[in-house]
Amino acid sequence: MSETITQARREENNPATAAPGVQQMSMQQALNRALDEILAEDPKTVIFGEDCGRLGGVFRITDGLQAKHGEQRVFDTPLAESGILGMSVGLAMAGFHPIPEVQFDGFAYPAINQIVCQIARMNYRSRGTLPMPITLRVPSFGGIRAPEHHGESLEALFAHVPGLKVVSPSTPHDAYHLLKYAATRPDPVIFMEPKSRYWQKGPVDVTNALPGTAVHDADADNGGSLTGARVAREGRHITLVAWGAMVARCLQVADLAAEDGIDVEVLDLRWLKPIDAAALARSVGKTRRAVVVHEAPLTSGLGAEVAQLITQSCFSTLKAPVERVTGFDVPYPSGDLEDEYIPNIDRILFGIQRVLEYRRG
Amino acid sequence: MTTNPVPAVVEDDAAPLTHPQLRELYNLMAAVRHLDTSAVAWQRQGIIPGYAPELGQEAAQVGSGYAVDRTRDFVFPTYREMGVARAMGLDMVGYMSTHKATWHGGMYNPLESRFAPIQAVVAGSVLHAVGWAHGQTLAGHAAGEMGVAMTYFGDGASSQGDVHEAMNFAAVMKSPVVFFIQNNGWAISVPTERQVAGGSVAARAAGYGIPSLQVDGNDVVAVYEATRSAFAHCRAGNGPVVIEAMTYRRGPHSTADDPGRYRTLEEERLDAGEDPLTRFRQRLLEEGVADEAFFAEAQRLAEEEEEAVRAGIADLGPRPGSEMFSLVFQEPTPALQSQATAWREESEHV
Ligand SMILES: Cc1ncc(C[n+]2csc(CCOP(=O)(O)OP(=O)(O)O)c2C)c(N)n1
């Protein structure tokens, strides 16, 4: 069976759909609204990148923001990623809160020097006197049959760099709240938007980041649970750990597995750095089995990090080694092979099967 | 060395330097020369592990740094701007702490000193200057009130893509940035003619529509005046300026370098031209601005200062290891905090 992300229409996450303040919107709309509000709330915020002014970005995430907030706050830069990120450093030094955009994940590479050697280190280098409150928005991952370099999974690369934080939303609700949260942090955050999910609608509770709690309780101001993972579906038999676009796919898998009596828990990691180790321990402590699912290549991917964190907290109770279902160690293939590369439902089900059938030798 | 002065496109009507200012410039150059040569000696004596000397570049550094208004401008240095730091009045123990290997970037406060952390990636902070300068534009200062960013880099660094992106950005956005190139003839072992295509770094500015000038980088007054007029141009809202100060790096690139492998002492002597310090001293004598007693006093002050800095860095001591963990983020991650805890427990039990 071959499964594409565009078929993944199931709407995960259901924060009190009936509650007032809950609206159906796509992730693109949720991100756009978040940016609009950030600009309105924080006069020091500036949004810039290639084509994000008049055009509103190739994915329309910044649509209408220049018209509303002016060319000083939302502007087009020349086409140069290192320039965009290097400029962010100086703006942050001058007291601004830059929200730069790299148009596609693969084009973050030309800016790696500025991201890794400059943005990530400036707070340290300056002994805390030059914080870098930069939120770098990166349309990320595959699934849209884009040309080469327009679909990459850079999370392990960024998460490995001291001084950077990395987050990826999987729902419109989280996209809205995580972006607003990230943009108010004093440290650099790489915000990885799953581009295959931009047009999927879902409920967004704009008044309440954490359904069931008040938005502005002390915890939320300290980050609250917006800083951690989210249980996207509760289950008893096995935990699927995923982030970004893979969360929706894992929820599909969970539905299918349920037909065979397998009760799957889906943990949406959200933060790829820092990883919510406690949530992993809680979930796998309960299910005693885990599969990590990611689009990035297997070798040295974040799956290894997650598996180690699980091993550390759940070694004595684990029923089987943690499995990984991932992309392969190949350059991201072109559209026709994409479905072979991105973990599909069958491969994830096989992963679950391997864990369930594991016997100690 | 051949210097082709390109007529300055930027004019300002500031008054010429007064005699006390000229004497101050000399005092700064003398202090920088003595501290610089001493730092090389400190390295030989094992007081510091390494240093990037600027022997011969005192005029370029002091002249440009002297033009900075510390109440509103901001300087983005490389690893070789000790003279600029000194001219801007930085805490020199804090500055030298980088070379002592106490802390990357130095131990001074960049926001107060208006001097960004020392940068080891060549051309690494050229774009930062553009971003900072664009912030000045966004802040909406009245023309003539704007702060100016000055970014320093070498002829070698000018080969980096970031320099070209920075010049293009600054020109498109009309950012108040002075690109100050110290062309000291060499990028470690590679001479400028094997490094810079297009004739000169200043010549490239034309391609971006940025006014540029080459200045005799061994003439402190010429450098000061060029920088001052570039600042005036930027402050008035006219966008960036490129200054290429033609100078010469006498001696090694760093204390780890052996220039004998790429040039002879004779070549060095011929190419270096006249020592900028001797030359300025001669001028002050001829114009009756200073006398031998003044120079003797300048030297005494420089020696006194060097002793204080040497004592200061000797007293620095190692930083507490906990800073390694606590200064990564404003909001540390749980993983980092637990690494810090483990480190503390394990290092206490050694
Ligand atoms: C990106 C980068 N590549 C290489 C180096 C190693 N390196 C340090 S200084 C230098 C030469 C720089 O020459 P130039 O820009 O002319 O400045 P100068 O040292 O002569 O002042 C090199 C190759 C570096 N620091 N950064």
Side-chain angles (χ1 to χ4, degrees), chain A residues 72 75 80 82-83 86-87 89-91 93-94 96 114 118 123-125 127-131 163 165 185-187, chain B residues 76 103-104 110-111 117 119 124 127-128 131-132 134-135 138 162 165 169 173 319 323-324 327-331:
Chain A
Q72 304 267 38
F75 54 92
S82 194
M87 173 174 183
V89 174
L91 280 166
M93 287 174 68
F96 289 86
Q114 285 295 334
Q118 306 301 333
N123 188 72
Y124 194 74
R125 182 184 292 149
R127 302 179 53 75
T129 55
L130 300 175
K165 293 175 182 174
R185 303 335 299 162
D187 292 310
Chain B
F76 295 78
W103 199 264
H104 293 317
L111 290 176
Q119 175 63 253
L127 280 160
H128 307 175
W132 188 91
H134 187 63
L138 293 180
D162 274 6
E165 295 192 16
F169 268 55
M173 301 186 307
R319 300 305 306 169
E323 285 187 350
M324 183 165 70
L327 293 171
V328 178
F329 291 112
Q330 296 279 322
E331 297 176 330

Side-chain angles (χ1 to χ4, degrees), chain A residues 113, chain B residues 52-53 57 61 78-81 119-124 153-160 182-190 192 195 249 253:
Chain A
N113 166 46
Chain B
Q57 299 182 218
Q61 299 210 351
T78 72
Y79 43 80
R80 203 193 293 289
E81 264 68 73
Q119 175 63 253
V121 178
V122 311
F153 56 97
D155 45 311
S158 80
S159 302
Q160 289 277 337
Q182 281 175 91
N183 186 337
N184 64 10
W186 296 87
I188 307 188
S189 66
V190 179
T192 305
Q195 186 72 246
R249 188 199 82 218
H253 166 82

Side-chain angles (χ1 to χ4, degrees), chain A residues 4-34:
Chain A
T4 65
I5 289 188
T6 42
Q7 289 163 349
R9 296 248 181 256
R10 185 191 187 283
E11 292 312 331
E12 73 281 6
N13 190 28
N14 205 17
T17 317
V22 176
Q23 300 168 30
Q24 288 290 322
M25 51 177 111
S26 66
M27 186 180 282
Q28 174 267 338
Q29 289 168 323
L31 290 166
N32 181 260
R33 175 157 175 173

Side-chain angles (χ1 to χ4, degrees), chain B residues 49-308:
Chain B
Y51 179 70
E54 51 149 298
L55 187 66
Q57 299 182 218
E58 294 86 353
Q61 299 210 351
V62 169
S64 55
Y66 194 68
V68 175
D69 177 351
R70 272 184 58 185
T71 65
R72 54 182 167 180
D73 302 328
F74 214 107
V75 160
F76 295 78
T78 72
Y79 43 80
R80 203 193 293 289
E81 264 68 73
M82 191 274 282
V84 182
R86 177 62 185 84
M88 286 174 63
L90 251 78
D91 162 26
M92 294 313 287
V93 175
Y95 179 90
M96 283 290 180
S97 65
T98 273
H99 302 297
K100 175 89 187 301
T102 306
W103 199 264
H104 293 317
M107 302 266 299
Y108 50 90
N109 183 325
L111 290 176
E112 279 165 18
S113 60
R114 316 296 281 178
F115 193 84
I118 290 167
Q119 175 63 253
V121 178
V122 311
S125 47
V126 180
L127 280 160
H128 307 175
V130 177
W132 188 91
H134 187 63
Q136 293 296 296
T137 310
L138 293 180
H141 295 293
E145 301 292 318
M146 221 163 348
V148 177
M150 178 151 59
T151 169
Y152 286 83
F153 56 97
D155 45 311
S158 80
S159 302
Q160 289 277 337
D162 274 6
V163 167
H164 300 269
E165 295 192 16
M167 287 188 181
N168 190 51
F169 268 55
V172 165
M173 301 186 307
K174 280 188 109 181
S175 305
V177 189
V178 176
F179 295 94
F180 193 95
I181 297 106
Q182 281 175 91
N183 186 337
N184 64 10
W186 296 87
I188 307 188
S189 66
V190 179
T192 305
E193 61 268 23
R194 302 288 307 157
Q195 186 72 246
V196 180
S200 70
V201 186
R204 291 176 180 167
Y208 300 106
I210 303 177
S212 72
L213 53 136
Q214 265 186 338
V215 61
D216 180 346
N218 296 330
D219 176 345
V220 68
V221 174
V223 172
Y224 167 75
E225 284 174 351
T227 314
R228 186 185 61 188
S229 58
F231 270 66
H233 175 96
C234 293
R235 242 187 257 301
N238 299 319
V241 177
V242 170
I243 297 178
E244 184 175 15
M246 306 306 289
T247 179
Y248 192 83
R249 188 199 82 218
R250 293 151 187 264
H253 166 82
S254 75
T255 46
D257 178 35
D258 171 15
R261 295 178 75 105
Y262 51 86
R263 68 190 189 199
T264 65
L265 272 178
E266 181 58 9
E267 282 163 348
E268 190 172 308
R269 194 184 59 77
L270 288 173
D271 291 346
E274 206 181 351
D275 180 318
L277 208 67
T278 320
R279 182 170 153 184
F280 191 43
R281 176 194 174 108
Q282 211 54 43
R283 171 174 166 179
L284 296 185
L285 273 174
E286 279 163 18
E287 293 178 6
V289 178
D291 56 16
E292 290 299 345
F294 168 80
F295 296 122
E297 176 64 3
Q299 182 59 22
R300 195 191 62 76
L301 287 172
E303 285 167 15
E304 212 174 84
E305 181 179 322
E306 182 263 319
E307 274 164 37

